[in-house]
Amino acid sequence: GEALVVILILLAGVGIGITTFSPQRGFHYWLAMVPLFGGVSAFLAFERSRARGESPAGPLRAQLFHWVGLLGAFQLVFLLKSAGQLEYDALGLVALTVLALTTFLAGVHTDWRLCLVGLLLGAVAAAGAYVQQVAWAVGIPALLLLAVLGFVWLRRGRPATPIAELP
């Protein structure tokens, strides 16, 4: 699980770079990342259910609806662009913001590490709203820090817990 979270963080770094230099391509990149982020989240939910001896059907169904909801939100964002209500410059950052929220909420219900990924994505989107170059200055060090923390967590072998169940 930890390695998958680290991969999400690294892919987020790629997306930050793409969004910084081409918001339109950034939108399409984040759209392409939805199945991957959703797949990792579903895998973590499956592993959690299995570790508890519970049926994974309910959590997997919830994950499906959760991530299909994100695809619907992306469709609405693109509709706003098509209607002239949103400029291309904002398209990638809005998509990143929606993905950040969806990832954070997946962490609330599945695995707290996804909350960290969502917070990182949200922080980069906020920074990018003011100065796109700030996304690099904030995003890359944050990505490296989270990757290191992920590897440390992996080595400790502690089980993942949804944030809602942390003490």
Side-chain angles (χ1 to χ4, degrees):
E2 287 80 8
L4 292 174
V5 172
V6 171
I7 289 170
L8 289 184
I9 292 168
L10 295 175
L11 288 171
V14 171
I16 291 163
I18 291 170
T19 302
T20 299
F21 294 106
S22 176
Q24 180 182 5
R25 284 193 176 114
F27 174 78
H28 294 290
Y29 178 84
W30 296 120
L31 181 61
M33 289 295 101
V34 171
L36 184 61
F37 276 63
V40 168
S41 184
F43 174 77
L44 294 172
F46 176 81
E47 287 294 308
R48 181 172 147 60
S49 296
R50 195 176 72 173
R52 290 180 158 192
E54 300 170 352
S55 169
L60 288 176
R61 186 174 39 255
Q63 288 295 312
L64 176 66
F65 284 116
H66 184 84
W67 292 97
V68 167
L70 174 61
L71 288 174
F74 272 21
Q75 185 63 37
L76 290 173
V77 168
F78 195 72
L79 179 67
L80 289 172
K81 165 58 188 106
S82 298
Q85 299 297 315
L86 190 63
E87 297 296 325
Y88 268 122
D89 289 348
L91 193 61
L93 290 176
V94 172
L96 176 55
T97 302
V98 175
L99 178 62
L101 175 62
T102 304
T103 304
F104 179 85
L105 292 174
V108 168
H109 299 288
T110 303
D111 187 320
W112 67 271
R113 294 167 296 188
L114 291 175
C115 289
L116 294 179
V117 175
L119 288 172
L120 171 67
L121 295 174
V124 170
Y130 291 103
V131 180
Q132 288 187 341
Q133 290 76 16
V134 172
W136 282 105
V138 172
I140 298 303
L143 287 171
L144 292 174
L145 176 64
L146 285 175
V148 168
L149 290 174
F151 283 119
V152 168
W153 194 268
L154 177 65
R155 298 186 109 214
R156 294 176 93 192
R158 295 178 64 185
T161 307
I163 200 162
E165 294 182 12
L166 290 175

